Amino acid sequence: MSAAAWDDVRAAYERVAPEHMRALFAGDPARARRFSCDAGPWYLDYSKNRIDDQAMAALIALARASGVEARRAAMFAGERINVTENRAVLHVALRHRGATPITVDGQDVMPSVRAVLAQMKAFSARLRNGEWRGFTGAVITDVVNIGIGGSDLGPSMACEALRKFARPGLRAHFVSNVDGTHMSEVLRRLDPACTLFIVASKTFTTQETLTNAHTARAWLINALGGEAAVARHFVAVSSNPPGVREFGIDTANMFEFWDWVGGRYSMWGAIGLPIACHVGFEVFESMLEGAYAMDKHFCDAPLERNMPVIMGMLGVWYRALFGAASYAILPYDQYLHRFPAYLQQLDMESNGKSVQLDGTAVAGATGPIVWGEPGTNGQHAFYQLLHQGTHLIPADFIVAANSHNPVGRHHTLLLANCIAQGEALMRGKTPDEVRAGLAGMPPAPALLPHRVFPGNRPSNTLVTRSLDAYALGALVALYEHKVFVQGCVFGINSFDQWGVELGKRLAQAIEPELEQGRGETGSRAGVHDASTARLIQRVRDWRQI
Ligand code: F6P
């Protein structure tokens, strides 16, 4: 069924690809109105894409033929759509605000979800009002989240995004990298008596997180004089209670989540604890409300007006038809400076696959490379390539109409730059326009081509009134569902991540070889290739331990 839909999409591509968007706009005054939609607090303008009505119709038909609706229903119904790990995929349950049950194997998960949210609410309130104190009786002033990947990127991105709502006097820190510098640089500034650690790990086996957690524990015990201090300064977030106990954290101080929540989809529940502590539970809840609004839109809006479906299918269009290997996330909002990094895991760990659900190789391309920086910084770095380079890089501009920091003309300038960049990418600048701009002083013929912009470079623009927690929740859920839609069309499992395993295992083998006297390099035994063996040997020789 989807083969015919792909044929239609290809036919649409053949027809539309040679068109310039300038001409499409000139010939269709209603284009911007037709190719835009609202979802919750977000307005999406997708008219600056290389599409026409038939192309969009073909893309939506492809979404249907790829089973997006059935798979969406299966996800929300708690079916085990993560087939390679035999797990349900129910991050939507964490932000479900309705009264209906959500079940896994006939069991309503909502009571447990609400219980953990209530536990988070109570704990964050106690921490913020100074009731939860450290071992010495000191008020907690610094919360350090120790986690990596999904146990770091979501909460750290959201704490940055919502920084304006944070309570002064309670700072949030995030340590993820196993590089001791990360932990040292954070601890250097902290008073152990006033510091609370949240050890966040779904599995509670992740090497980086456990290593960092042990270092933090030793630092605390050393400073506060004994193991007894741990209970007042360490809490855990995990789906592995025995692992938490073994580490030495009382499971009474543990916030649970479940195997049906993927790490990179987990900031809506217990993994969001640092967010709730930083900005307060009410603000955190508002983020859940925003995500829920997007979930409802995703479930209820017809595919033709469905924002995650439209964005997902546009991504498929450029990836599969135009061969665009990457796309840029360009938030014109300093508070969203970690959003591209967050999306890298969400998108690339989800859709960076080359095997279909049935185990056969994919026929075409799958997920793109995701990258980006906040505007306007990117304009003075890599936009040159976006405008005049040889790559086609679709971009998402994200901006709020109002700033939390309305200082002078800043926000007007920011908005103007954001809107101008989309216009410039679309319109470009023709040789005649270059000449006209230099009236009376035509450039040397050899210079003219350097000043021409080809244009016809696609972008989406997402606008909201103000980047509050509600808008943030809706934005993140939008991208989650967009990634989901693309996974359906690519025919892959967006919810596993086997590709991270090999490197982890090899690092375990190499670790002892890096220390004199602990292990021999595997070169002699032929364990490693010659390059790897020589690198190990060189590092061993140069290490000062
Ligand atoms: O290595 C990848 C990964 O498994 C991610 O999927 C996950 O978010 C991260 O590691 C951290 O895992 P955990 O929360 O179990 O420590």
Side-chain angles (χ1 to χ4, degrees):
M1 191 160 83
S2 73
W6 272 111
D7 286 345
D8 290 346
V9 168
R10 267 182 227 111
Y13 168 75
E14 298 298 336
R15 200 189 57 259
V16 175
E19 301 272 353
H20 198 291
M21 280 190 279
R22 271 192 187 213
L24 296 176
F25 271 100
D28 179 5
R31 181 177 173 86
R33 186 152 30 85
R34 241 183 17 268
F35 293 136
S36 57
C37 68
D38 286 271
W42 288 95
Y43 169 71
L44 167 69
D45 180 329
Y46 61 99
S47 61
K48 292 193 188 85
N49 279 290
R50 294 171 68 172
I51 48 163
D52 61 9
D53 291 303
Q54 283 158 291
M56 271 324 283
L59 285 167
I60 298 299
L62 176 61
R64 274 207 180 90
S66 306
V68 166
E69 290 151 306
R71 225 168 139 68
R72 177 185 64 190
M75 176 169 75
F76 279 82
E79 286 176 31
R80 294 176 183 269
I81 63 167
N82 175 357
V83 285
T84 58
E85 296 179 314
N86 191 29
R87 288 176 185 166
V89 175
L90 270 183
H91 46 281
V92 292
L94 301 177
R95 64 221 189 189
H96 179 57
R97 316 306 285 167
T100 47
I102 295 189
T103 56
V104 177
D105 299 334
Q107 194 80 31
D108 184 6
V109 299
M110 287 314 298
S112 338
V113 167
R114 291 194 191 101
V116 172
L117 288 175
Q119 188 193 1
M120 290 167 67
K121 181 178 181 175
F123 180 79
S124 55
R126 288 180 69 199
L127 195 73
R128 288 165 62 82
N129 67 22
E131 201 183 302
W132 176 287
R133 300 210 167 202
F135 184 59
T136 65
V139 168
I140 300 296
T141 56
D142 293 88
V143 175
V144 183
N145 190 79
I146 301 176
I148 197 165
S151 301
D152 167 74
L153 288 163
S156 60
M157 176 275 293
C159 282
E160 284 299 304
L162 302 175
R163 180 191 272 263
K164 189 71 185 178
F165 304 93
R167 172 160 101 43
L170 185 61
R171 290 167 293 273
H173 311 266
F174 290 84
V175 177
S176 51
N177 198 339
V178 77
D179 183 343
T181 297
H182 201 178
M183 180 60 85
S184 305
E185 284 296 330
V186 169
L187 294 187
R188 207 155 51 81
R189 290 174 273 146
L190 301 182
D191 176 353
C194 307
T195 300
L196 178 93
F197 294 97
I198 299 175
V199 185
S201 174
K202 178 176 169 182
T203 55
F204 233 79
T205 57
T206 303
Q207 190 192 49
E208 292 91 334
T209 299
L210 291 188
T211 304
N212 280 325
H214 279 290
T215 300
R217 196 170 187 274
W219 174 81
L220 186 99
I221 289 173
N222 183 41
L224 299 186
E227 295 267 342
V230 171
R232 302 303 300 167
H233 291 269
F234 276 84
V235 298
V237 177
S238 186
S239 62
N240 175 9
V244 170
R245 223 173 284 122
E246 198 185 316
F247 177 82
I249 297 178
D250 186 346
T251 43
N253 294 336
M254 180 185 126
F255 299 79
E256 195 179 2
F257 65 118
W258 305 274
D259 73 356
W260 40 263
V261 181
R264 55 193 173 273
Y265 297 88
S266 64
M267 66 180 233
W268 316 102
I271 288 289
L273 185 64
I275 313 171
C277 294
H278 194 49
V279 297
F281 193 78
E282 267 177 30
V283 176
F284 177 75
E285 226 172 9
S286 167
M287 190 180 81
L288 303 188
E289 298 277 358
Y292 180 58
M294 189 57 74
D295 293 343
K296 281 201 294 189
H297 168 86
F298 181 49
C299 288
D300 299 341
L303 298 195
E304 291 75 9
R305 309 289 305 156
N306 196 306
M307 203 183 276
V309 173
I310 291 167
M311 286 181 62
M313 295 315 294
L314 287 170
V316 169
W317 180 240
Y318 294 116
R319 185 74 194 98
L321 281 303
F322 288 75
S326 84
Y327 89 94
I329 293 288
L330 307 169
Y332 276 65
D333 195 310
Q334 191 58 31
Y335 284 126
L336 286 179
H337 73 105
R338 294 293 291 158
F339 194 60
Y342 167 78
L343 278 190
Q344 283 180 326
Q345 188 200 16
L346 176 66
D347 202 324
M348 293 163 81
E349 204 173 69
S350 296
N351 286 348
K353 315 277 165 70
S354 44
V355 172
Q356 299 181 94
L357 286 167
D358 64 5
T360 59
V362 294
T366 58
I369 301 156
V370 181
W371 58 284
E373 275 289 322
T376 53
N377 295 1
Q379 290 176 207
H380 298 272
F382 54 79
Y383 277 41
Q384 164 66 39
L385 182 147
L386 297 187
H387 286 288
Q388 290 188 315
T390 52
H391 301 268
L392 178 80
I393 303 182
D396 287 354
F397 294 99
I398 303 170
V399 74
N402 299 289
S403 171
H404 292 304
N405 300 293
V407 193
R409 293 167 58 228
H410 285 252
H411 201 61
T412 313
L413 288 173
L414 183 76
L415 283 162
N417 273 282
C418 177
I419 295 170
Q421 288 297 330
E423 186 175 34
L425 286 167
M426 186 279 284
R427 287 178 58 88
K429 195 169 183 184
T430 64
D432 283 346
E433 286 168 344
V434 174
R435 279 188 209 99
L438 298 164
M441 238 188 32
L447 203 54
L448 185 79
H450 295 275
R451 305 182 75 143
V452 168
F453 289 66
N456 214 16
R457 303 196 169 202
S459 66
N460 293 313
T461 303
L462 280 161
V463 188
T464 194
R465 282 172 196 275
S466 168
L467 186 75
D468 55 16
Y470 188 81
L472 179 70
L475 181 70
V476 175
L478 165 64
Y479 277 95
E480 284 180 350
H481 295 321
K482 178 204 140 168
V483 166
F484 173 87
V485 167
Q486 295 188 341
C488 294
V489 177
F490 297 140
I492 56 177
N493 180 6
S494 299
F495 300 103
D496 60 12
Q497 55 284 319
W498 298 105
V500 301
E501 294 304 324
L502 179 60
K504 286 186 195 175
R505 205 166 45 71
L506 295 185
Q508 273 167 13
I510 290 173
E511 194 218 328
E513 299 177 31
L514 292 173
E515 288 181 13
Q516 304 283 357
R518 270 187 74 200
E520 286 304 312
T521 67
S523 55
R524 254 160 291 174
V527 174
H528 300 297
D529 60 88
S531 158
T532 306
R534 278 176 69 84
L535 282 168
I536 293 170
Q537 191 58 55
R538 177 56 66 102
V539 170
R540 262 172 84 113
D541 292 347
W542 277 1
R543 290 194 81 188
Q544 295 161 344
I545 57 169

